[in-house]
Amino acid sequence: MTRAYGPGSTAVLLVDPYNDFISEGGKLWPRLRPVAEAIGLVDHLRAVVATARGAGMRVLYVPHRRWRPGDYDTWDHPNPTQRGIQERHSFEYGTWGGEFHQDLQPHPEDIVIHEHWAQSGFANTDLDFQLKQHHVTHVVLIGVLANTCLESTGRFAMELGYHVTLVRDATAAFQPEMMHAAHHLNGPTFAHAILTTGELVTAFAGDTAG
């Protein structure tokens, strides 16, 4: 019987673990903090990543474009999120806010994907190429935001034929209603599994034992 999360076929996609999002002092942290702290976001991100690495699974970082001067200034159709980044200088290149959280730094064996400009980690990046080159069939999405980048990346993954897992408490959004939409309304239309961190860690352990 094929294992659900075999170490050679499973990858964790860690989306946008920037200081601006998930660290005290980050530009967007005040908006994310109530939900993130309520669910223990950073602790669960650490747990999923550590368990995946320990099980021999791939961890791929899927980062948003780090703002640079001139970004979006000449675009015909920047979306509202991009306009917000343009105004706030979110994830600014070369600044602390544009660095990954101190507890979620890439290891040498991890893969850092090309930065995505909008919400899907697949659009205009090498994510699909890297997954295929490493024989990945199952992707587990964690990080932020649940109802934007994770949803867009998860939907795209499903369209490309990957098995998609969402993790309820290893992601966050700006409002509880957004989390509800991500996991109770929209997620079930494309994700093959929607688990908690505890359930995922147990599944990882079961699939790598023996």
Side-chain angles (χ1 to χ4, degrees):
M1 182 175 180
T2 303
R3 292 172 174 174
Y5 300 103
S9 60
T10 302
V12 168
L13 307 186
L14 176 54
V15 181
D16 296 346
Y18 285 124
N19 285 321
D20 266 348
F21 259 143
I22 62 174
S23 296
E24 185 70 40
K27 291 186 176 79
L28 296 166
W29 175 244
R31 296 180 63 192
L32 196 70
R33 181 174 185 169
V35 170
E37 290 191 340
I39 63 172
L41 172 66
V42 175
D43 285 343
H44 291 144
L45 293 177
R46 285 191 290 245
V48 174
V49 170
T51 303
R53 287 178 178 143
M57 297 173 181
R58 293 277 177 185
V59 176
L60 285 77
Y61 284 67
V62 184
H64 199 282
R65 166 78 175 183
R66 289 169 291 171
W67 181 86
R68 295 162 174 79
D71 279 0
Y72 315 110
D73 290 354
T74 60
W75 283 30
D76 285 340
H77 310 293
N79 65 41
T81 298
Q82 290 163 336
R83 285 298 191 197
I85 291 172
Q86 187 181 33
E87 294 170 3
R88 290 186 302 267
H89 303 173
S90 307
F91 331 121
E92 182 174 358
Y93 182 81
T95 70
W96 173 85
E99 296 174 358
F100 298 139
H101 188 283
Q102 62 179 1
D103 295 342
L104 296 166
Q105 294 292 312
H107 285 196
E109 67 272 18
D110 298 336
I111 299 170
V112 180
I113 297 302
H114 297 165
E115 296 173 359
H116 53 273
W117 282 88
Q119 295 178 352
S120 172
F122 285 95
N124 305 304
T125 77
D126 59 330
L127 178 54
D128 185 49
F129 178 81
Q130 291 281 6
L131 292 172
K132 285 184 168 60
Q133 287 294 326
H134 292 93
H135 311 292
V136 172
T137 58
H138 289 54
V139 294
V140 177
L141 279 81
I142 61 173
V144 287
L145 294 167
N147 61 312
T148 57
C149 288
L150 268 76
E151 181 171 331
S152 293
T153 302
R155 285 187 181 277
F156 210 133
M158 176 273 294
E159 296 285 359
L160 293 171
Y162 294 98
H163 180 285
V164 177
T165 297
L166 305 178
V167 189
R168 298 177 188 275
D169 52 3
T171 182
F174 293 142
Q175 298 175 19
E177 294 82 359
M178 295 174 176
M179 292 286 279
H180 177 79
H183 299 130
H184 294 278
L185 302 179
N186 298 339
T189 69
F190 66 89
H192 303 87
I194 304 177
L195 307 176
T196 65
T197 295
E199 291 167 341
L200 182 71
V201 167
T202 298
F204 280 1
D207 284 336
T208 58

